[in-house]
């Protein structure tokens, strides 16, 4: 969901909260006094609050409907180029499973970030114990990479 869409839905939720607050205020005002005890002005105020609450509810429903219908077409492009690309990808087996994607992402993270950072730390450390820990971690991560590659090739 885009930031704009998210902000629209937050604004709608905020308006719904305000509508609920108006409803609660109206119910409290009614429960505190009996209708026979209400002055004509007070009765008119309560009816006005009810009308505001009702109108807000109707407008919020309408707004949600129109926003949902506007955004329902996102990502539904059916151009010829998109169809051809989709068919070509399907011939190659389609999108890989999430597990495969996550394994590839982890392998890249280990190779490009984690192991180089550990090697850098090892080169500047003066503590022999820490150096041994770093060596053990590097070995562990290299074994993880080997396992990931084994699992990827066995698919």
């Amino acid at each position: 969901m885009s930031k704009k869409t998210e902000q629209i839905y937050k604004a709608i939720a905020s308006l719904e909260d305000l509508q609920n607050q108006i409803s609660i205020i109206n119910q409290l005002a009614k429960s505190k006094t009996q209708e026979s005890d209400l002055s004509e002005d007070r009765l008119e105020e309560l009816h006005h609050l009810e009308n505001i609450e009702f109108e807000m509810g109707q407008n919020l429903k309408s707004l949600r409907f129109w926003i949902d219908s506007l955004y329902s077409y996102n990502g539904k492009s059916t151009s010829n180029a998109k169809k051809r690309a989709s068919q070509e990808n399907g011939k190659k087996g389609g999108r890989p499973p999430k597990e495969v994607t996550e394994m590839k992402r982890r392998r890249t993270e280990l190779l490009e970030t984690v192991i180089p950072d550990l090697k850098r730390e090892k080169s500047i450390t003066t503590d022999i114990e820490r150096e041994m820990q770093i060596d053990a971690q590097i070995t562990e991560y290299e074994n993880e990479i080997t396992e990931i590659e084994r699992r990827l090739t066995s698919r």
Side-chain angles (χ1 to χ4, degrees), residues 118 121-122 125-137:
L118 287 172
E121 184 182 346
K122 180 183 171 187
T125 189
T126 57
D127 186 8
I128 295 175
E129 270 186 46
R130 180 63 187 140
E131 195 172 324
M132 290 171 57
Q133 288 174 344
I134 292 171
D135 279 337
Q137 284 178 320

Side-chain angles (χ1 to χ4, degrees), residues 25-136:
I25 290 170
N26 198 21
Q27 289 172 1
L28 287 173
K30 280 183 179 178
S31 68
K32 285 184 180 177
T33 54
Q34 299 294 330
E35 287 217 14
S36 59
D37 296 342
L38 293 175
S39 68
E40 189 129 339
D41 290 339
R42 187 69 180 137
L43 197 58
E44 193 174 315
E45 287 175 10
L46 290 175
H47 287 298
H48 186 64
L49 266 178
E50 284 178 352
N51 289 339
I52 291 172
E53 176 189 350
F54 178 77
E55 285 293 321
M56 279 184 78
Q58 294 299 312
N59 287 328
L60 283 168
K61 283 180 185 177
S62 176
L63 184 60
R64 272 205 184 275
F65 170 78
W66 287 112
I67 293 296
D68 289 343
S69 66
L70 279 174
Y71 287 113
S72 69
Y73 295 106
N74 285 352
K76 292 188 179 180
S77 174
T78 55
S79 68
N80 289 332
K82 191 169 185 177
K83 286 178 186 175
R84 275 193 305 275
S86 176
Q87 290 168 354
E88 289 300 316
N89 286 336
K91 290 176 187 175
K92 297 175 188 173
R95 180 177 288 174
K98 188 174 184 180
E99 182 183 345
V100 171
T101 306
E102 287 174 358
M103 284 191 289
K104 288 179 179 179
R105 187 175 297 130
R106 177 66 177 161
R107 180 182 62 189
T108 303
E109 175 189 7
L110 290 172
L111 288 172
E112 294 178 3
T113 309
V114 177
I115 293 176
D117 286 348
L118 287 172
K119 287 181 179 179
R120 237 178 276 114
E121 184 182 346
K122 180 183 171 187
S123 69
I124 61 172
T125 189
T126 57
D127 186 8
I128 295 175
E129 270 186 46
R130 180 63 187 140
E131 195 172 324
M132 290 171 57
Q133 288 174 344
I134 292 171
D135 279 337

Side-chain angles (χ1 to χ4, degrees), residues 127-155:
D127 186 8
I128 295 175
E129 270 186 46
R130 180 63 187 140
E131 195 172 324
M132 290 171 57
Q133 288 174 344
I134 292 171
D135 279 337
Q137 284 178 320
I138 290 172
T139 304
E140 182 181 324
Y141 290 137
E142 287 172 344
N143 290 340
E144 186 178 346
I145 290 170
T146 306
E147 177 62 21
I148 289 171
E149 288 173 351
R150 185 192 63 75
R151 289 174 65 193
L152 288 173
T153 55
S154 68
R155 287 188 166 262

